[in-house]
Amino acid sequence: MRNRRHNLITAVAAIGALTSLAACGSGADSSAPGSGEAGGTYTFWDPYPQFDTSSPWGELVAKCGSDAGVEVKRTSMDTTDLGNKALLAAQQGNAPDVMLVDNPVVSTLVEAGILNKTSELGLDTKPIQRNILGAGEIDGASYGVPIGANTLALYYNKKVLSAVHVDPASVKDWASLTAALRKVKAAGMKGITFSANNTEEGSFQFLPWFWGAGGDLTELNSGQGVAALSLWKQWVASGYAPKDVLQNTQTTTWQEFATGDYAFGENGTWQLGNADKAGFDYGVISIPGRNGGSAPVPTGGEFVTVPVQKDASRYDVSKKIVTCLTNSANLLSTDNTLMYVAPTATVQAAQVKSDPRLKPWVRAVAAARGRTSGGLGTKYPTISQPMWTAVQAALSGGKSPKDALDAAQRAAGKGN
């Protein structure tokens, strides 16, 4: 019991270091879940406070409960609040029956001992794309079913690129992208905007360049990592990217791109609706790797999980609710609403058929990696924070990319 209590306390700190990167609102409903009897009321937590009970998502959750023969009491809050309250509820023995959590949080909750394995619940994860499922796997075991994935790519402004005679299809590596930015700046226009702020968003946006150089998160100061940070520093120093990337969130980054002044903007699937409202023609290309190809990008999105309960007889209904939320028909409906790429090839194909704009995003998700994958698990927050600190130090001119990442590696080593 003492070890489990220690794990819960450690997990609270880890969750506090992570920020949701999905297209979720920031409001929170802080009401605690009811403790319904088996067969009566089941509690469900999600990080979607922007969707009320009359929304398609709210109605789906209620319907999945009705189909399972129970009433679902849904509580919504932002993702950090949800993770911390989940740990507290587990400590008090009243965890929700079903919980939707941001994928990097899964490993933290598993370490705290409060999530069930999907195999023990009899949930089928075989159709799930392996790299998407990997964000919720620890030591080869899966602890949730992904409801969808989002990730990053480069939006581009067709008018700006056309004015400088750059074919977006020619942007295949860092050299060709930098050459395009040079042309844009020479013509008196703006190059690229992204988020390099001192939160998880900064790490999330840096990872495609870090991984695209061949970087490994266990060795932040490798030559590959230094090359990625040097690229960003070069862009800021040359005026290809604005200095305010140091403060930009993904939202303010989008607002900059939406002015129509920038050639490129690094952002996510969740901005597609806003892109249609921007008032100019745009396109989407994969973030290029250093020497070509699509760079691996981090996976965003949530997993439907079943927390540990004192009464194991409740799991049968919980399984029915999870299965309902993640069946193909409901995934298609939900992922279109959330602007997620579905976690299965079958539903992805249906999404692209109904909305061809999703084609480059399906390719991007296919190249994506879970931030906690590769055995990192709960070590990821202790790596991510030094990494975003290094990005800040280098882009602000406080340290060279090499010195900044050397300091980050030392800090990450102490954290582990």
Side-chain angles (χ1 to χ4, degrees):
M1 180 66 183
R2 184 178 177 184
N3 286 340
R4 184 163 185 255
R5 189 180 191 87
H6 172 74
N7 286 346
L8 284 167
I9 293 170
T10 303
V12 169
I15 286 178
L18 294 169
T19 300
S20 177
L21 295 162
C24 299
S26 60
D29 174 358
S30 60
S31 58
S35 53
E37 296 179 0
T41 300
Y42 275 61
T43 51
F44 178 88
W45 290 3
D46 68 40
Y48 302 151
Q50 73 273 31
F51 297 132
D52 62 21
T53 55
S54 64
S55 66
W57 171 252
E59 290 177 349
L60 175 61
V61 172
K63 182 180 184 300
C64 285
S66 298
D67 289 352
V70 298
E71 178 184 352
V72 171
K73 181 178 179 181
R74 175 179 168 241
T75 301
S76 299
M77 61 196 86
D78 81 8
T79 196
T80 301
D81 201 22
L82 187 152
N84 288 333
K85 287 184 177 177
L87 293 166
L88 180 61
Q91 190 174 9
Q92 296 171 341
N94 61 349
D97 292 288
V98 180
M99 185 165 60
L100 196 63
V101 299
D102 196 21
N103 72 70
V105 177
V106 173
S107 61
T108 302
L109 299 180
V110 170
E111 186 173 79
I114 69 172
L115 294 184
N116 282 291
K117 295 179 181 179
T118 54
S119 59
E120 293 175 349
L121 295 166
L123 290 165
D124 183 15
T125 58
K126 291 186 184 68
I128 306 295
Q129 198 165 292
R130 294 304 307 169
N131 64 323
I132 298 176
L133 187 65
E137 286 184 329
I138 293 87
D139 295 330
S142 171
Y143 288 85
V145 182
I147 201 163
N150 56 31
T151 195
L152 298 166
L154 291 181
Y155 288 86
Y156 63 87
N157 185 318
K158 293 184 178 181
K159 183 178 179 180
V160 172
L161 292 188
S162 177
V164 295
H165 308 291
V166 170
D167 180 355
S170 70
V171 177
K172 297 180 179 297
D173 53 22
W174 291 2
S176 54
L177 176 56
T178 300
L181 296 176
R182 188 180 302 114
K183 287 185 178 181
V184 169
K185 184 174 184 293
M189 294 179 286
K190 297 179 180 179
I192 187 169
T193 182
F194 49 86
S195 171
N197 68 6
N198 59 339
T199 73
E200 177 61 20
E201 286 187 289
S203 290
F204 191 72
Q205 291 235 325
F206 182 60
L207 277 172
W209 311 95
F210 181 85
W211 282 336
D216 186 319
L217 285 172
T218 63
E219 190 182 354
L220 293 174
N221 58 343
S222 68
Q224 293 90 341
V226 172
L229 188 47
S230 297
L231 178 74
W232 270 18
K233 184 175 177 63
Q234 174 197 351
W235 287 350
V236 173
S238 301
Y240 302 158
K243 288 184 171 62
D244 64 12
V245 295
L246 285 161
Q247 293 81 42
N248 271 350
T249 65
Q250 291 184 120
T251 298
T252 56
T253 291
W254 178 260
Q255 290 167 349
E256 285 186 334
F257 179 74
T259 63
D261 297 333
Y262 283 85
F264 296 95
E266 180 181 352
N267 228 297
T269 330
W270 56 90
Q271 299 291 6
L272 276 173
N274 290 328
D276 289 338
K277 301 173 186 175
F280 57 83
D281 287 339
Y282 71 93
V284 179
I285 58 173
S286 298
I287 295 174
R290 182 182 186 181
N291 298 315
S294 296
V297 283
T299 310
E302 287 84 35
F303 277 65
V304 192
T305 65
V306 178
V308 173
Q309 304 291 333
K310 291 180 181 178
D311 181 3
S313 68
R314 299 182 70 83
Y315 295 149
D316 185 55
V317 169
S318 295
K319 175 187 172 181
K320 291 178 181 177
I321 294 171
V322 175
T323 301
C324 173
L325 290 171
T326 57
N327 69 39
S328 292
N330 288 335
L331 279 177
L332 180 60
S333 172
T334 298
D335 289 341
N336 286 346
T337 298
L338 299 175
M339 297 311 301
Y340 278 174
V341 171
T344 68
T346 300
V347 182
Q348 287 174 2
Q351 285 182 301
V352 171
K353 184 176 181 179
S354 65
D355 187 353
R357 297 177 306 166
L358 288 172
K359 190 171 183 178
W361 294 104
V362 169
R363 288 198 299 267
V365 165
R369 296 179 186 173
R371 283 163 278 171
T372 58
S373 297
L376 286 182
T378 55
K379 293 179 182 178
Y380 175 73
T382 68
I383 295 170
S384 177
Q385 186 165 354
M387 181 166 63
W388 81 56
T389 301
V391 170
Q392 287 266 306
L395 299 194
S396 66
K399 293 181 179 179
S400 70
K402 179 66 165 63
D403 288 345
L405 288 171
D406 281 344
Q409 184 63 27
R410 290 193 295 271
K414 291 177 182 177
N416 291 329

